[in-house]
């Protein structure tokens, strides 16, 4: 009889992997405690993975000794972090990212709707879904909440592509029954039926989560918003994603379409599209009433800074909203956003907050890109954290990925100062490794 290949093989347990590097691990919410003390920094740490989960985290020397038979992967001085969580994206807009010269409504009509009209073609949808998720992984993003298009094929393509890569994603069919080309318009009944069928097929299948997805009030009649609210009431553990108060012209249009509504948020509230699990993209130009209702209802807003500058939408009030008790996530908003990178997105969030007179600490930025976004998605037990028991979605970030970044990081006096130049100037070159569900993907 031949000897077993390893102690794991002998015991039948899943093999262990031990990742080594620097580690930053949040111990508190940096928005409600001193940000510089909100995380534990291990200059030489380790993370033990088994069966797609994190089982232990701690000083490297201790884990090397206690897990002597684990496969060891040493990332040296690179920083091990949870994979980034992008709380609002449109994967079907991958091909039209960086389209020139328009504000929101014209940008939707001129670039977005023609491109989204192609996603009834299952093969095209699968091609773009795969391309998008590969770009996301290359940028260190391991969980995404994405809008699909109004075609069920686009939803199937997204979830299949995510499943093939082991990724935890949130997605949903866009409902839109007015102010759009015929190729994209559905009806209240079709939106309900197709969303329901997709939800039953995909929600909580493996790592997939479904989001009921009315695009925004200008493209949904009241009957359609009502149908989406009814579907969400039947399936409250799904997410609900939409857009809110992104541009002043959009808000004026909503006022025209719904003259009796008190404000933009009221057009969703009327149809029960508010509450825990609700994700409102952008939320820039809010009234005091809207801010208060977002907070007391337990809804989340998602900050999309590169989009807000690219489309010219305005200055989001991250610090004020968090202080007012609103859950805030961070996102690329690909392809209204101009980047697939959550590093670039953190840099843009810093710059926008500066315009608003509030200085975000690197801990705030990292929190928003990981645990904050995960909380907005109600997935914080699974992603956006290095806590034992969570999924092994882990990235290794090179803090000296370009000469410009390296020379600045060399002067850093602590880990936050070492990380900040990568947030401001880094991109996919900084993402040295990506583990998804315990599997190395980069
Ligand atoms: N509002 C409605 N649809 C969209 C979209 O696709 N992108 C952005 N940025 N805003 C929207
Ligand atoms: Zn969006």
């Amino acid at each position: 009889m031949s000897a077993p290949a390893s102690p794991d093989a002998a015991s039948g347990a899943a093999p262990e992997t031990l990742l080594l590097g620097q580690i930053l691990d949040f111990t508190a919410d940096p928005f409600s405690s001193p940000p510089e003390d909100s995380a534990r920094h291990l200059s030489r740490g380790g993370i033990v993975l088994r069966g797609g989960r994190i089982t232990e985290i701690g000083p490297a020397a201790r884990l090397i000794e206690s897990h002597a038979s684990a496969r060891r992967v040493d990332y040296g001085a690179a920083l091990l972090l949870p994979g980034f969580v992008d709380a609002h994206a449109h994967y079907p807009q991958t091909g039209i990212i960086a389209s020139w010269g328009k504000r929101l409504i014209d940008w939707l009509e001129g670039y977005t709707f023609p491109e989204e009209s192609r996603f009834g073609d299952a093969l095209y949808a699968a091609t773009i879904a795969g391309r998008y998720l590969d770009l996301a992984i290359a940028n260190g993003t391991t969980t995404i909440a994405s809008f699909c298009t109004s075609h069920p094929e686009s939803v199937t393509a997204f979830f299949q592509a995510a499943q093939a890569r082991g990724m935890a994603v949130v997605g949903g069919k866009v409902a839109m029954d007015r102010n759009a080309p015929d190729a994209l318009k559905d009806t209240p009944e079709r939106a309900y039926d197709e969303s329901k069928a997709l939800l039953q097929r995909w929600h909580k299948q493996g790592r997939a989560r479904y989001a009921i997805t009315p695009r925004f009030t200008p493209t949904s009649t009241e009957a359609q918003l009502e149908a989406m609210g009814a579907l969400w009431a039947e399936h409250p553990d799904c997410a609900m994603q939409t857009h809110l108060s992104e541009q002043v012209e959009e808000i004026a249009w909503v006022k025209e379409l719904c003259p009796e509504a008190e404000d933009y948020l009221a057009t969703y509230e009327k149809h029960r599209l508010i509450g825990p699990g609700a994700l409102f993209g952008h939320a820039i130009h809010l009234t005091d009433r809207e801010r208060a209702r977002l907070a007391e209802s337990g809804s989340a807003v998602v900050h999309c800074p590169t989009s807000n500058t690219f489309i010219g939408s305005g200055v989001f009030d991250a610090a004020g909203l968090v202080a007012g008790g609103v859950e805030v996530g961070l996102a690329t908003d690909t392809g209204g956003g101009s980047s697939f990178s959550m590093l670039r997105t953190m840099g843009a969030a810093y710059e926008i907050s500066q315009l608003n007179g509030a200085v975000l600490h690197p801990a705030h930025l990292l929190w928003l890109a990981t645990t904050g976004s995960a909380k907005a998605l109600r997935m914080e037990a699974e992603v956006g954290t290095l806590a034992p028991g969570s999924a092994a979605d882990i990235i290794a970030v090179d803090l000296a990925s370009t000469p410009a970044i390296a020379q600045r990081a060399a002067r850093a006096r602590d880990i936050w100062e070492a990380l900040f130049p990568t947030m401001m100037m880094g991109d996919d070159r900084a993402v040295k490794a990506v583990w998804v569900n315990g599997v190395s993907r980069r």
Side-chain angles (χ1 to χ4, degrees):
M1 207 170 106
S2 60
S6 70
D8 288 327
S11 69
E16 282 185 334
T17 303
L18 173 58
L19 308 184
L20 300 170
Q22 293 199 72
I23 295 177
L24 256 180
D25 181 28
F26 281 109
T27 50
D29 177 344
F31 285 100
S32 50
S33 59
E36 58 281 5
D37 299 330
S38 60
R40 167 171 66 154
H41 173 226
L42 297 170
S43 53
R44 188 70 182 149
I47 305 174
V48 182
L49 324 182
R50 183 196 286 160
R53 298 268 143 194
I54 294 173
T55 58
E56 226 177 316
I57 177 168
R62 175 167 66 74
L63 294 177
I64 288 170
E65 201 181 313
S66 57
H67 297 267
S69 63
R71 177 168 70 118
R72 232 175 272 167
V73 186
D74 192 342
Y75 292 109
L79 179 63
L80 302 179
L81 295 172
F84 298 132
V85 179
D86 184 343
H88 181 118
H90 298 256
Y91 94 79
Q93 298 170 13
T94 297
I96 56 132
I97 192 168
S99 289
W100 182 83
K102 298 198 187 298
R103 289 175 62 79
L104 177 61
I105 307 301
D106 291 342
W107 175 84
L108 285 171
E109 285 171 3
Y111 295 120
T112 309
F113 292 165
E115 177 64 8
E116 290 192 10
S117 297
R118 302 176 66 180
F119 282 72
D121 174 348
L123 195 57
Y124 187 68
T127 302
I128 301 296
R131 182 186 303 171
Y132 171 78
L133 291 177
D134 288 342
L135 285 164
I137 288 172
N139 279 285
T141 300
T142 50
T143 287
I144 299 130
S146 182
F147 287 59
C148 299
T149 71
S150 48
H151 313 94
E153 293 85 347
S154 73
V155 182
T156 304
F158 180 64
F159 283 128
Q160 283 179 340
Q163 195 175 52
R165 290 160 180 79
M167 297 173 81
V169 296
V170 182
K173 170 200 142 71
V174 166
M176 48 198 299
D177 67 347
R178 64 172 169 180
N179 295 317
D182 288 344
L184 287 179
K185 265 193 286 193
D186 53 17
T187 63
E189 298 72 27
R190 249 183 62 207
Y192 179 92
D193 292 343
E194 291 178 352
S195 301
K196 185 170 181 150
L198 288 162
L199 178 169
Q200 286 171 337
R201 166 68 184 85
W202 289 106
H203 186 55
K204 296 200 165 161
Q205 287 305 305
R207 306 193 74 194
R209 299 284 180 278
Y210 195 83
I212 292 160
T213 308
R215 181 173 215 119
F216 67 159
T217 297
T219 52
S220 286
T221 59
E222 289 220 27
Q224 182 166 75
L225 293 175
E226 182 60 28
M228 293 298 94
L231 184 60
W232 196 25
E234 290 161 30
H235 302 276
D237 68 335
C238 288
M240 190 290 297
Q241 56 183 354
T242 187
H243 297 88
L244 175 69
S245 296
E246 179 178 2
Q247 278 203 351
V248 288
E249 299 93 320
E250 170 208 10
I251 297 165
W253 194 15
V254 169
K255 188 83 210 149
E256 238 174 73
L257 291 166
C258 311
E260 75 298 338
E262 191 173 353
D263 50 39
Y264 195 160
L265 184 61
T267 67
Y268 296 124
E269 275 183 282
K270 182 175 180 187
H271 304 289
R272 299 177 282 175
L273 295 166
I274 188 171
L279 299 156
F280 292 101
H282 304 287
I284 298 169
H285 310 282
L286 299 173
T287 65
D288 289 346
R289 191 202 78 88
E290 287 174 313
R291 285 169 174 259
R293 282 296 295 139
L294 287 165
E296 71 198 19
S297 66
S299 303
V301 300
V302 186
H303 181 26
C304 307
T306 74
S307 171
N308 299 164
T309 50
F310 184 75
I311 316 186
S313 300
V315 175
F316 180 84
D317 180 16
L321 283 158
V322 173
V326 181
E327 197 89 69
V328 177
L330 186 66
T332 60
D333 189 31
T334 301
S338 54
S339 176
F340 296 94
S341 167
M342 288 297 284
L343 289 170
R344 178 74 203 97
T345 301
M346 286 183 255
Y350 177 80
E351 291 168 343
I352 287 202
S353 197
Q354 284 285 56
L355 289 174
N356 207 32
V359 183
L360 294 182
H361 188 275
H364 294 137
L365 299 166
L366 182 62
W367 172 269
L368 289 173
T370 55
T371 311
S373 282
K375 284 185 74 181
L377 300 179
R378 296 191 293 183
M379 292 173 74
E380 71 272 23
E382 163 94 3
V383 301
T385 167
L386 296 176
S390 61
D393 294 347
I394 299 165
I395 61 174
V397 177
D398 178 359
L399 299 179
S401 60
T402 69
I405 295 172
Q407 63 88 37
R408 178 63 187 89
R411 294 181 178 217
R413 286 157 302 179
D414 62 25
I415 186 63
W416 297 118
E417 197 179 343
L419 175 56
F420 190 58
T422 290
M423 288 177 168
M424 293 309 304
M425 299 190 281
D427 54 29
D428 53 343
R429 289 169 291 179
V431 179
K432 212 168 150 176
V434 179
W435 290 74
V436 181
N437 213 22
V439 175
S440 169
R441 296 272 168 196
R442 176 180 165 94

